[in-house]
Amino acid sequence: MKQFGGPAAFIDRNDINTDEIIPAKYLTEITKKALAPHLLEDLYLEGRKFDPHAPEMQNAKVLVTRANFGCGSSREHAVWALEVNDINVVIGESFARIFRQNMFNCGILAVELSKADLDRLFALKGQVTVAVDLEGEKLTASTGGAAVECAFTLNPFDKKLIGAGGWLAFADAKY
């Protein structure tokens, strides 16, 4: 079974859309790998340009964000940009429906938590590492001195799909 978790990067904003995840001008690329350096390059937070090349982002395997992540157009490229940057978990209050399913299809775990749980994660200071127990449907976010545990739920099919590593791996094993 695929392992989920690792160092986390925090993006404290609602409604991050697919154009901000991967700008539309890169949709003509013919490989997923070509998308890698452009992840979140057009994202602005509180009027300032986000630095997708900051060390926190370069090391991240987990993104922690707010509500409605992946809204906008339903392009798979946005999920591919996460995939080729080794992001294996995105944690938020909610996800755009098609975007969330594209994440599961590509083997990336979308974890929905309450606003209160997200606030507890955002309150952690320092480098945060997230460990995910997929079978137990819980995650633990920890720093050198503090830890936060949160429960989440997945429907049985999504759990099988994500546990296999995405739709293609699931289909290869099943059919």
Side-chain angles (χ1 to χ4, degrees), residues 15-35:
D15 304 315
I16 295 174
N17 67 58
T18 54
D19 285 324
E20 293 170 308
I21 296 168
I22 189 68
K25 63 187 172 190
Y26 301 113
L27 300 184
T28 59
E29 297 295 344
I30 59 171
T31 67
K32 290 179 182 181
K33 189 172 177 116
L35 302 173

Side-chain angles (χ1 to χ4, degrees), residues 3-170:
Q3 296 295 310
F4 296 94
F10 289 77
I11 304 174
D12 196 0
R13 203 188 96 194
N14 292 322
D15 304 315
I16 295 174
N17 67 58
T18 54
D19 285 324
E20 293 170 308
I21 296 168
I22 189 68
K25 63 187 172 190
Y26 301 113
L27 300 184
T28 59
E29 297 295 344
I30 59 171
T31 67
K32 290 179 182 181
K33 189 172 177 116
L35 302 173
H38 308 295
L39 176 67
L40 300 168
E41 76 177 23
D42 281 355
L43 180 64
Y44 281 81
L45 300 175
E46 297 177 358
R48 293 184 325 233
K49 191 155 177 59
F50 178 75
D51 182 6
H53 303 292
E56 179 184 68
M57 274 302 297
Q58 294 302 302
N59 297 324
K61 304 291 182 223
V62 177
L63 290 182
V64 183
T65 187
R66 295 293 182 169
N68 202 27
F69 188 79
C71 59
S73 56
S74 57
R75 64 175 66 126
E76 207 169 17
H77 296 75
V79 175
W80 293 344
L82 295 169
E83 180 184 20
V84 297
N85 279 283
D86 296 324
I87 303 296
N88 63 60
V89 180
V90 180
I91 302 167
E93 187 175 348
S94 61
F95 296 86
R97 183 183 56 80
I98 293 172
F99 184 85
R100 179 184 179 277
Q101 194 59 53
N102 283 340
M103 287 180 59
F104 283 114
N105 289 346
C106 288
I108 301 173
L109 179 60
V111 174
E112 293 180 333
L113 296 178
S114 68
K115 183 179 181 322
D117 280 343
L118 283 169
D119 288 343
R120 293 187 320 139
L121 295 180
F122 274 95
L124 291 170
K125 301 297 179 212
Q127 178 58 54
V128 175
T129 300
V130 174
V132 176
D133 174 359
L134 188 60
E135 286 306 312
E137 295 185 350
K138 65 181 178 181
L139 64 84
T140 304
S142 57
T143 65
V148 172
E149 189 172 292
C150 302
F152 62 90
T153 58
L154 292 175
N155 72 51
F157 179 74
D158 284 343
K159 188 184 277 190
K160 287 178 186 174
L161 188 66
I162 201 71
W167 176 249
L168 292 178
F170 176 79

